[in-house]
Amino acid sequence: RYGKKGSMIMNKQALFCDGTGVYVIPPEPVEDQKIILRFRTAKDDVQEAKVVTRETCYSDEEGSDKGKTIFMQKEQTTDVFDYYNVKVQIGTEALRYYFEIKGTDGETIYYNRYGAVSEPLEAYDFLLIPNFSTPGWAKGAVMYQIYTDRFCNGDFSNDVVTGEYYYLGARSEQIEDWNQKPAKTMAIREFYGGDLQGVLDKLDYLEELGVEVIYFNPLFVSPSNHKYDIQDYDYIDPHLAKIVEDGGDILPEGCTDNSQATKYQIRTAGKANLEASNAFFAHVVEEIHKRGMKVILDGVFNHCGSFNKWMDREKIYQKEGNYEPGAYCSADSPYRDFFRFFNNDPGAWPDNGNYDGWWGHETLPKLNYEDSVKLENYILGIGKKWVSSPYNVDGWRLDVAADLGTTKEYNHDFWKRFRMAVKSANPQAIILAEHYGDPKEWLQGDEWDTVMNYDAFMEPITWFLTGMEKHSDSSRPDLCNNADYFVNAITHHMSAMTTPSLQTAMNELSNHDHSRFLTRTNHMTGRVEHLGHEAAESYTNSAILREAVVMQMTWPGAPTIYYGDEAGVCGFTDPDNRRTYPWGHEDKEMIEFHKEVIAIHKRYWAFRTGSVKMLMWQEGVLAYARFNDRRQFVIIVNNRSEAVTLHVPVWPAEVPMQGFMRRMIYTYEEGYTTEFEEYIVENGEIVLNMGKHSAIILKKREY
């Protein structure tokens, strides 16, 4: 590494800094607090290190001027690295900064969230936001997403029965065969009977799996099985909770006789059923909390259902006669300004389809917050209600959060108010948004805590391991095993989040909106209506799923399992991805594998709040480190269809130049092993053989 006149060229692999607690002390500062910024270089490798801020801040270092450029002091030296420190005082505004490093040969390198660069683009600055923190319990928490109707039926008395109500041109249908796969189209009226009692019955299973947080798809009153068309935000759906009395026999729209209406009708369940359901839900949360787990609810606040009493498109509440008229039924409705109608002429009332529906769906009327303070206050109250006693849930997942409102300005204003409302009731509640694309403008400390991590996790990993689009709608063979694309994409998208948001981001491989990851491994493009259910299970590769799970459990963020992924469930995108959990037909080896990897993740804080650093990458191969000042881990993935011999530098992960690393788990084509094995570290690297479609987690041996 020699340059002109024999001077040493700067060792760029040694340069490192991030926003974790080793490099920002404390990592979540409050306003006007003095903090320490640290930076790592190779030993005796640089002339000077400086931190450059975009805003004025103040340093206590002798000889430093108030301003944007502050010299750092060498505070610690090891056999391999030097560590530079500087004390600065953060103010009331966000602090954006990067590092300027001058080598012994005069070369200047800049370092930001993208890494070592020749030009410091502002988009990749480090960012510290005073007073912004995310809940400690959510950092790296193992989450489990439950689509309740499909998880477990624990109470058969609350099941939706065939013909119970009429929705989107047809009757509800009770599926009596738990193992029957969802219909090819319009499966929203199919009910399998999964409920909250079923979740209670399976808490032992979830606890043994290692789950720390349960995220429920919507639970509020709704006529569909997905419940993203909410009928009543104040109550848990009795079909998921408790039905304690006959609800009446008022016929729904389109029904002609009593045979099409039953005593369990969700819309006529009665106050007793609704209140019993809320009380039962409070009990469920209490039981989950007793096991040390948390609960996240799905908040669908951009739109409601046309069944909602505010709209009453199906005239359910009008027929009962005990409610004020819905906006669809009368121009004089007290809820008229909850929605945006295109024709406000009372003489034309109602004009079918004459209102704004989300993406044009008449059954999903978009809520018109800008014109109704009453609506806004109500939803803010809902945000507080469910994180407060007696329910005490631990946060919200926000459906299509960037779509709420009709302008970007209002959207931001609303989420600021929503955050204040929720955090005032429960400061440790998490606010986690569904979002595609750059979330940076919502993650400035006063709106969302974090996001469902599509761009900085699900998509890059799916492309690298399978070459498939996350719905299985298309394929990109050029992206499969494309390590350069993976590193560039995931680094770019991770830079959009500050460390507190990144550490709590929901890292999923599958969910209710996309194909199951295991199905993506068969490289079939299309949907169930064209390919059939069996195709989703054909030619899948469990070894690639194991690679993905190893990455999921060792990447920054909250690893989130979509129910049944751990049991080998397959499926194209919805409705096929919403198959029932296969009780009695599970892939038990896959479940045991999940338990092992989850246990590794939970055992070490380096996987929750530690640094991440790419060590090497090449076609089909990724090697990266997770480490803090106490533990060092190296994760290697070989996605090739052939065995490889790899030379992996581990010294950048602060593993000693000479020593040993212990294998914690190794996955391969036929399965996995946790048997003890050690690898020699010589001159800061390890040499190992990796089988095809394999992954390994290594830990520095401690003496």
Side-chain angles (χ1 to χ4, degrees):
R1 297 190 300 108
Y2 290 95
K4 296 178 181 179
K5 299 180 181 180
S7 62
M8 292 287 290
I9 297 175
M10 198 187 313
N11 186 340
K12 297 180 181 63
Q13 273 190 299
L15 302 179
F16 188 74
C17 180
D18 62 11
T20 64
V22 172
Y23 292 93
V24 180
I25 308 168
E28 296 175 331
V30 298
E31 62 183 44
D32 298 324
Q33 184 172 12
K34 290 183 179 180
I35 61 175
I36 297 174
L37 301 179
R38 301 184 78 213
F39 191 83
R40 191 188 79 182
T41 72
K43 183 179 179 181
D44 300 328
D45 197 40
V46 304
Q47 290 187 40
E48 61 186 30
K50 295 185 285 187
V51 60
V52 183
T53 69
R54 301 286 181 179
E55 300 83 16
T56 298
C57 66
Y58 301 94
S59 170
D60 290 339
E61 296 302 316
E62 185 176 350
S64 296
D65 295 326
K66 296 178 181 179
K68 294 187 176 182
T69 301
I70 307 169
F71 284 88
M72 306 182 75
Q73 302 296 319
K74 187 187 298 186
E75 295 290 341
Q76 182 185 357
T77 296
T78 67
D79 292 341
V80 180
F81 301 108
D82 288 333
Y83 295 85
Y84 288 80
N85 286 12
V86 65
K87 290 183 179 180
V88 300
Q89 181 172 330
I90 193 168
T92 59
E93 301 297 325
L95 178 66
R96 293 170 174 81
Y97 62 97
Y98 61 91
F99 297 92
E100 182 180 320
I101 312 300
K102 187 175 182 181
T104 56
D105 67 343
E107 180 186 18
T108 297
I109 292 291
Y110 303 96
Y111 197 95
N112 55 20
R113 285 187 62 81
Y114 202 87
V117 295
S118 57
E119 292 293 335
L121 297 179
E122 187 171 352
Y124 296 117
D125 283 351
F126 289 101
L127 177 64
L128 278 177
I129 302 172
N131 301 326
F132 175 53
S133 64
T134 54
W137 61 263
K139 291 179 170 66
V142 178
M143 300 186 180
Y144 192 87
Q145 179 183 351
I146 294 180
Y147 194 97
T148 310
D149 183 63
R150 308 298 162 82
F151 183 62
C152 179
N153 190 347
D155 180 358
F156 293 93
S157 71
N158 63 10
D159 291 358
V160 174
V161 298
T162 297
E164 185 164 336
Y165 47 79
Y166 192 83
Y167 187 45
L168 289 179
R171 300 180 302 161
S172 61
E173 180 181 359
Q174 181 180 21
I175 307 299
E176 297 184 359
D177 179 1
W178 180 259
N179 296 310
Q180 178 179 318
K181 296 177 177 64
K184 294 182 179 180
T185 58
M186 292 305 293
I188 60 173
R189 292 181 295 261
E190 294 180 348
F191 292 88
Y192 286 74
D195 49 36
L196 291 171
Q197 182 61 53
V199 175
L200 282 182
D201 294 345
K202 298 301 181 180
L203 284 183
D204 284 347
Y205 168 76
L206 296 176
E207 187 173 15
E208 290 169 6
L209 186 63
V211 171
E212 297 173 296
V213 181
I214 296 175
Y215 152 47
F216 287 106
N217 283 106
L219 299 177
F220 301 123
V221 177
S222 161
S224 68
N225 57 51
H226 61 67
K227 305 202 177 303
Y228 284 96
D229 46 0
I230 290 175
Q231 183 174 335
D232 193 331
Y233 292 91
D234 272 304
Y235 295 101
I236 300 297
D237 194 312
H239 285 300
L240 299 180
K242 286 292 178 184
I243 292 179
V244 295
E245 66 177 29
D246 190 325
D249 59 359
I250 295 175
L251 296 181
E253 184 85 357
C255 293
T256 58
D257 58 63
N258 284 331
S259 66
Q260 293 177 300
T262 78
K263 67 180 180 179
Y264 297 130
Q265 288 180 60
I266 201 169
R267 59 179 178 76
T268 56
K271 198 74 169 179
N273 288 341
L274 297 173
E275 291 178 351
S277 293
N278 280 10
F280 183 69
F281 177 68
H283 168 68
V284 170
V285 175
E286 183 180 15
E287 290 300 309
I288 292 171
H289 283 170
K290 285 180 181 178
R291 295 172 183 254
M293 302 180 195
K294 305 290 186 180
V295 176
I296 295 175
L297 287 182
D298 212 322
V300 188
F301 302 132
N302 168 70
H303 53 270
C304 66
S306 58
F307 273 61
N308 195 296
K309 65 182 179 184
W310 301 336
M311 177 63 78
D312 201 18
R313 179 176 180 264
E314 288 73 21
K315 301 183 177 63
I316 293 171
Y317 294 93
Q318 177 177 279
K319 290 180 180 179
E320 292 198 11
N322 297 322
Y323 296 88
E324 296 180 292
Y328 189 88
C329 303
S330 171
D332 298 322
S333 167
Y335 312 116
R336 195 206 65 81
D337 59 359
F338 282 26
F339 308 96
R340 182 160 293 183
F341 286 86
F342 302 130
N343 185 346
N344 289 320
D345 179 6
W349 207 272
D351 184 359
N352 291 352
N354 190 35
Y355 55 84
D356 186 11
W358 183 63
W359 280 24
H361 296 296
E362 292 184 3
T363 57
L364 302 177
K366 188 172 171 61
L367 293 171
N368 180 29
Y369 289 92
E370 285 93 332
D371 293 334
S372 178
V373 174
K374 180 180 178 181
L375 170 64
E376 179 184 270
N377 288 337
Y378 172 82
I379 294 296
L380 294 179
I382 289 296
K384 293 178 64 174
K385 171 179 177 174
W386 294 99
V387 301
S388 302
S389 180
Y391 310 108
N392 298 315
V393 302
D394 302 285
W396 290 98
R397 176 266 189 189
L398 306 173
D399 187 60
V400 294
D403 288 2
L404 185 141
T406 58
T407 66
K408 184 75 66 79
E409 292 75 17
Y410 179 79
N411 182 276
H412 287 299
D413 287 343
F414 177 86
W415 292 126
K416 287 180 174 69
R417 287 191 280 274
F418 185 84
R419 180 183 185 85
M420 287 190 289
V422 170
K423 298 285 186 176
S424 70
N426 183 350
Q428 289 302 306
I430 193 165
I431 299 173
L432 189 158
E434 178 191 26
H435 187 70
Y436 298 87
D438 189 346
K440 190 179 301 181
E441 61 188 282
W442 288 273
L443 297 178
Q444 297 300 307
D446 55 357
E447 297 183 53
W448 309 337
D449 283 321
T450 190
V451 294
M452 300 179 75
N453 204 2
Y454 292 117
D455 294 88
F457 184 77
M458 183 191 282
E459 289 193 350
I461 283 179
T462 294
W463 287 124
F464 178 78
L465 294 178
T466 71
M468 295 292 293
E469 187 268 339
K470 60 184 178 292
H471 287 93
S472 293
D473 282 341
S474 62
S475 65
R476 287 282 304 274
D478 58 310
L479 297 185
C480 185
N481 290 334
N482 189 330
D484 286 336
Y485 179 87
F486 171 85
V487 172
N488 289 332
I490 210 160
T491 303
H492 169 75
H493 291 297
M494 286 172 68
S495 70
M497 288 184 271
T498 60
T499 299
S501 294
L502 192 64
Q503 291 173 342
T504 53
M506 185 180 278
N507 289 348
E508 292 187 295
L509 297 172
S510 318
N511 64 23
H512 62 291
D513 283 328
H514 306 99
S515 60
R516 295 272 184 171
F517 186 89
L518 186 55
T519 290
R520 285 176 229 152
T521 67
N522 68 12
H523 304 111
M524 290 188 183
T525 59
R527 301 204 172 192
V528 66
E529 57 264 36
H530 304 118
L531 300 175
H533 297 290
E534 293 74 19
E537 305 165 11
S538 302
Y539 310 108
T540 59
N541 190 327
S542 295
I544 296 177
L545 174 58
R546 286 189 287 270
E547 292 176 65
V549 173
V550 166
M551 296 189 70
Q552 181 183 39
M553 294 297 160
T554 58
W555 200 259
T560 304
I561 301 166
Y562 183 44
Y563 79 100
D565 269 9
E566 79 280 14
V569 174
C570 295
F572 292 110
T573 199
D574 58 290
D576 198 33
N577 55 10
R578 301 170 185 179
R579 300 182 185 187
T580 54
Y581 186 101
W583 301 109
H585 305 282
E586 309 93 324
D587 182 338
K588 289 184 168 57
E589 184 181 37
M590 187 63 74
I591 291 173
E592 291 304 312
F593 166 70
H594 273 78
K595 289 180 181 179
E596 293 283 0
V597 186
I598 289 171
I600 292 170
H601 170 88
K602 291 172 64 176
R603 196 176 304 145
Y604 301 102
W605 275 98
F607 292 124
R608 296 181 186 265
T609 60
S611 299
V612 61
K613 181 173 175 59
M614 296 302 305
L615 300 176
M616 60 86 70
W617 60 94
Q618 60 190 48
E619 182 184 359
V621 174
L622 300 171
Y624 59 93
R626 294 298 309 278
F627 58 101
N628 57 23
D629 53 357
R630 296 188 59 201
R631 302 280 191 274
Q632 295 81 38
F633 299 87
V634 171
I635 300 91
I636 306 167
V637 174
N638 173 31
N639 196 48
R640 295 183 187 178
S641 298
E642 59 187 10
V644 294
T645 300
L646 300 173
H647 296 249
V648 179
V650 297
W651 65 267
E654 302 182 0
V655 174
M657 298 296 286
Q658 309 294 329
F660 297 89
M661 296 201 77
R662 173 192 168 192
R663 181 177 73 188
M664 304 196 73
I665 195 167
Y666 173 65
T667 76
Y668 50 93
E669 191 74 7
E670 294 79 22
Y672 71 97
T673 181
T674 58
E675 291 182 2
F676 177 84
E677 187 168 345
E678 285 193 333
Y679 297 82
I680 299 173
V681 181
E682 290 187 354
N683 297 320
E685 76 170 19
I686 58 173
V687 180
L688 74 170
N689 297 315
M690 296 281 292
K692 64 179 181 179
H693 297 306
S694 62
I696 195 168
I697 303 175
L698 301 170
K699 177 178 176 288
K700 185 198 77 173
R701 190 172 82 175
E702 298 169 4
Y703 297 91

